[in-house]
Amino acid sequence: QDGLKQCLAEFRQQLAWVERLDVTLGPVADPVSQSASASDAVDPENDFQREMSFYRQAQAAVLEALPRLRKLQVPTRRPDDYFAEMAKSDQQMQKIRQKLKSKQEAMERSEKAKQLRAMRKYGKKVQVEILQRRQKEKKNMLNAVKKYQKGLTDKLDFLDEEQTSSQGNKKGNASQRTKKGPNAKRRYKNQKFGFGGKKKGSKWNTKESFNDVSSFQSKVAHNKGPGKGGRGGKGGKKALNKRPGKRARQKMKNRAR
Amino acid sequence: GKWKNKERVLIFSSRGINFRTRHLMQDLRTLMPHSKADTKMDRKDQLFVINEVCEMKNCNKCIFFEAKKKQDLYMWLSNTPQGPSAKFLVQNIHTLAELKMTGNCLRGSRPLLSFDPIFDREPHYALLKELFIQIFSTPQYHPKSQPFVDHVFTFTITDERIWFRNYQIIEEDASLVEIGPRFVLNLIKIFQGSFGGPTLYENPHYQSPNMHRRLIRLSVAAKFREKQQVKEVQKIKKKGTKVLVEEDPTEVVFETPAEEKPVEIQLVKPESKPIVKDKKKLRKIQRKKQKKLFRTEG
């Protein structure tokens, strides 16, 4: 130990800083990196961390040294018209540039391919959706035409593009007791089975109908609700719950039309 | 200005170096304009001959690369007349010519030297730092040097080794690109004299590459031996636990040997079986017959 110190004392040259240009500094504090305690123990196995610590150390040195050099009037920036031999030949630099370019091109190509694939997928999806929509519209149109043919609706509104549902409100006062037209159940069955169209798969479950839990009533399922309108409770809306007889129903139907 | 700091570094090697070392040497020569080259030294000569070579070339510092077994590279850094010298093991060499090193600098421009603060903490590191400074810094106003400062050498201590990197300074705000070369120095010993003399410091963490390879081989061998041992133990276990059961005299009492049948030799070929096309049909017919019988019985 002492021998070392002695040797160092003998060996050390007293030169001006500008001759030696040495800086001893730790690395620049990294805004992105970990806390101060962890930054001391740079894991040498972690290549990226290690190289980044070297990089930051160099940066700290540069940030310190350049102002000093400027003060001492030592030039640091090479003027643009100063041509001199470089450490690596121009040929070498060309090779490097080529390699970088080829790498970038390869990356771009792969990116483009990926994007194309994604776009094609999306395009296909959109196309399918459009076709389905057109088919649906066609079906609706045909249904409306058939309805008109069967004489249920005497309006030719379906020929127009946009059909508003505001027409129904006018009839609201006349038949407040009953719902407009046929019963909800009747309407549902008409929609499902009536007026031509594909009937083969109509009784089968589709994904949507299977996942549709809107007709689930918790109280009914768990047998908890008031039983069938509350026996002994208010005999309330008798008109809605009690089904009128055949004649009465027909009369209602005719009146509604 | 006048060139006052007369440092000259002799960079050469022994025989038996491989291409990477040769390129590293050439790179160092291009980066340091105050260096001189020399022919390869014969292995027979002793190391202190190098001092004489240096004196002949009028150099006061020396970087000597020594290659052993065509695998290990040792580097000597020395202050030739009387000063200290240090021997290192060099690893992880990447040269200037590698395409991943994209920076470039003027040939002969003066480098900025950047050291880890750990260099100031230990006396041996302080000595090494002084040695690095004197060897690697280009003297000001050297005739072959360029006046600009556009690259920086970094010496960092990580994992008990000294890591060397060379970066090009692009902008004043310290954005850097690596130029190369890069290597890792593992300190072995520091001597008081040049290529000899009493040992000032010996690195306790240093393990010679031979030792390293030997340990790897031993560990592999040890694993294999362990496996063998485990196998043997298992074999013994399987054999060992067999209990001898005494012969029971009453065992033989109920044994009745089978009747001996006369040996029949077939002289005529047996009739071939009728080929059944539909086995199920046969079974069906059989079942129907059985049912009929059953019905008639019942």
Side-chain angles (χ1 to χ4, degrees):
Chain A
Q1 272 245 356
D2 295 328
L4 277 172
K5 293 205 181 115
Q6 199 189 359
C7 186
L8 177 60
E10 287 175 1
F11 175 56
R12 198 188 281 256
Q13 284 175 346
Q14 298 304 329
L15 291 171
W17 181 82
V18 75
E19 276 290 336
R20 305 183 311 156
L21 292 180
D22 72 313
V23 181
T24 310
L25 268 185
V28 173
D30 195 11
V32 195
S33 80
Q34 346 71 317
S35 62
S37 60
S39 65
D40 272 352
V42 169
D43 178 20
E45 303 294 325
N46 182 352
D47 291 339
F48 184 68
Q49 209 184 25
R50 200 184 56 213
E51 298 298 324
M52 281 316 286
S53 81
F54 298 158
Y55 187 86
R56 275 182 275 127
Q57 189 193 317
Q59 275 187 325
V62 168
L63 286 172
E64 193 193 291
L66 284 185
R68 279 174 83 174
L69 284 174
R70 240 173 277 144
K71 256 193 279 178
L72 293 167
Q73 277 144 9
V74 177
T76 51
R77 283 202 65 225
R78 186 163 66 103
D80 292 325
D81 54 356
Y82 189 97
F83 290 116
E85 202 180 348
M86 304 287 274
K88 294 192 198 173
S89 68
D90 283 340
Q91 213 183 31
Q92 178 73 12
M93 295 312 282
Q94 274 286 71
K95 257 199 251 176
I96 293 174
R97 229 169 282 145
Q98 275 291 78
K99 188 143 192 274
L100 281 176
K101 224 197 291 184
S102 70
K103 253 203 226 170
Q104 207 175 7
E105 273 175 15
M107 214 173 58
E108 270 178 24
R109 240 178 285 148
S110 75
E111 273 295 317
K112 248 195 255 175
K114 250 191 253 175
Q115 274 194 352
L116 251 166
R117 257 181 278 144
M119 280 210 29
R120 251 185 248 151
K121 236 189 177 179
Y122 179 70
K124 184 82 183 193
K125 206 168 41 150
V126 165
Q127 197 184 30
V128 164
E129 267 180 32
I130 287 177
L131 283 175
Q132 281 187 340
R133 196 163 19 112
R134 279 198 208 137
Q135 280 179 339
K136 226 187 274 181
E137 277 182 20
K138 183 176 171 192
K139 179 177 163 207
N140 287 341
M141 185 68 111
L142 284 176
N143 277 350
V145 168
K146 282 198 182 118
K147 267 195 204 168
Y148 175 67
Q149 284 179 340
K150 295 226 171 165
L152 286 179
T153 332
D154 50 357
K155 293 172 240 157
L156 286 168
D157 290 342
F158 59 84
L159 285 177
D160 299 330
E161 286 274 298
E162 302 291 302
Q163 265 221 25
T164 56
S165 57
S166 59
Q167 318 284 348
N169 290 342
K170 291 182 194 162
K171 292 214 167 183
N173 303 332
S175 54
Q176 240 175 9
R177 253 184 20 191
T178 56
K179 294 208 167 81
K180 176 198 167 178
N183 210 350
K185 185 175 174 188
R186 191 69 251 154
R187 281 212 311 264
Y188 169 74
K189 289 213 175 165
N190 284 345
Q191 189 221 329
K192 203 170 175 196
F193 307 111
F195 315 124
K198 200 170 178 191
K199 293 217 191 95
K200 190 148 186 217
S202 58
K203 285 201 185 174
W204 298 345
N205 267 337
T206 62
K207 193 183 191 179
E208 285 80 26
S209 76
F210 185 84
N211 288 334
D212 177 25
V213 283
S214 56
S215 61
F216 175 79
Q217 291 163 9
S218 173
K219 293 194 174 168
V220 174
H222 297 293
N223 209 8
K224 282 220 164 71
K228 289 200 182 163
R231 264 156 268 172
K234 46 180 181 169
K237 305 178 179 165
K238 58 169 169 66
L240 284 171
N241 287 340
K242 187 171 180 237
R243 192 163 172 252
K246 182 170 175 182
R247 196 80 188 101
R249 273 184 280 133
Q250 276 191 338
K251 269 200 222 157
M252 280 200 285
K253 199 159 125 188
N254 291 334
R255 209 187 306 153
R257 274 215 246 131
Chain B
K2 196 148 186 300
W3 171 32
K4 290 201 199 105
N5 181 16
K6 304 271 165 93
E7 290 284 348
R8 272 175 276 255
V9 184
L10 185 66
I11 306 184
F12 71 122
S13 74
S14 72
R15 309 185 93 235
I17 51 173
N18 67 352
F19 68 97
R20 218 185 283 272
T21 319
R22 201 165 14 93
H23 280 154
L24 177 65
M25 231 172 37
Q26 281 175 353
D27 295 341
L28 283 178
R29 281 188 203 142
T30 51
L31 286 177
M32 295 162 45
H34 56 292
S35 64
K36 285 197 183 159
D38 196 22
T39 54
K40 289 192 202 141
M41 187 188 87
D42 210 4
R43 201 108 32 89
K44 282 183 282 168
D45 305 331
Q46 311 273 13
L47 285 174
F48 56 76
V49 170
I50 301 182
N51 291 325
E52 296 173 4
V53 176
C54 282
E55 209 184 300
M56 278 206 300
K57 289 252 166 170
N58 193 15
C59 293
N60 58 353
K61 296 283 186 302
C62 175
I63 301 182
F64 176 62
F65 289 100
E66 189 181 354
K68 289 252 171 86
K69 280 190 173 185
K70 300 204 180 158
Q71 280 170 353
D72 313 321
L73 178 68
Y74 297 99
M75 180 163 106
W76 288 86
L77 286 182
S78 154
N79 177 23
T80 25
Q82 75 281 69
S85 54
K87 183 174 180 189
F88 300 91
L89 174 68
V90 189
Q91 291 166 319
N92 292 5
I93 302 176
H94 294 260
T95 58
L96 264 183
E98 296 205 354
L99 289 177
K100 296 248 171 121
M101 315 278 191
T102 46
N104 200 356
C105 66
L106 282 172
R107 186 178 267 213
S109 64
R110 301 180 60 209
L112 195 56
L113 301 168
S114 156
F115 292 95
D116 210 349
I118 306 179
F119 273 104
D120 284 337
R121 283 183 216 159
E122 311 268 324
H124 59 271
Y125 282 141
L127 184 57
L128 284 181
K129 176 178 158 184
E130 190 58 36
L131 201 57
F132 287 144
I133 291 175
Q134 290 190 14
I135 290 184
F136 286 104
S137 60
T138 307
Q140 209 180 15
Y141 311 122
H142 190 280
K144 286 199 199 148
S145 72
Q146 306 281 0
F148 307 105
V149 175
D150 64 350
H151 64 290
V152 51
F153 290 160
T154 48
F155 298 86
T156 326
I157 297 182
T158 316
D159 194 23
E160 316 294 337
R161 293 173 172 81
I162 304 174
W163 301 69
F164 172 87
R165 296 281 182 276
N166 180 13
Y167 295 101
Q168 176 194 8
I169 305 170
I170 304 182
E171 286 296 321
E172 301 280 300
D173 68 347
S175 53
L176 308 165
V177 176
E178 187 155 1
I179 309 171
R182 47 154 86 169
F183 48 87
V184 177
L185 298 173
N186 203 348
L187 174 66
I188 305 175
K189 275 191 185 181
I190 304 183
F191 301 101
Q192 193 178 18
S194 165
F195 293 101
T199 311
L200 286 175
Y201 179 77
E202 193 174 335
N203 186 5
H205 306 280
Y206 171 70
Q207 191 190 59
S208 93
N210 281 333
M211 229 11 195
H212 185 67
R213 288 188 279 257
R214 182 162 175 267
L215 283 179
I216 292 179
R217 249 180 289 141
L218 280 179
S219 74
V220 168
K223 244 197 271 179
F224 182 68
R225 235 179 283 138
E226 224 187 275
K227 271 197 219 165
Q228 296 277 51
Q229 277 182 350
V230 167
K231 268 196 210 164
E232 280 182 20
V233 166
Q234 281 186 341
K235 252 196 224 172
I236 292 172
K237 261 199 213 171
K238 274 193 201 163
K239 276 196 212 159
T241 58
K242 277 205 178 153
V243 183
L244 271 180
V245 180
E246 281 182 1
E247 230 184 82
D248 189 5
T250 56
E251 215 180 287
V252 204
V253 174
F254 289 107
E255 259 181 36
T256 42
E259 272 184 29
E260 267 199 42
K261 277 194 198 160
V263 179
E264 267 190 44
I265 306 172
Q266 281 193 339
L267 293 167
V268 182
K269 185 175 161 188
E271 282 178 22
S272 57
K273 265 191 348 186
I275 303 169
V276 179
K277 283 206 178 158
D278 198 347
K279 289 187 194 164
K280 284 192 191 166
K281 206 168 181 182
L282 204 76
R283 184 82 190 111
K284 240 181 176 178
I285 296 169
Q286 268 192 346
R287 265 190 279 139
K288 279 198 175 157
K289 276 194 197 154
Q290 277 195 346
K291 270 196 194 160
K292 234 183 181 176
L293 283 172
F294 191 63
R295 237 181 288 143
T296 54
E297 281 176 20

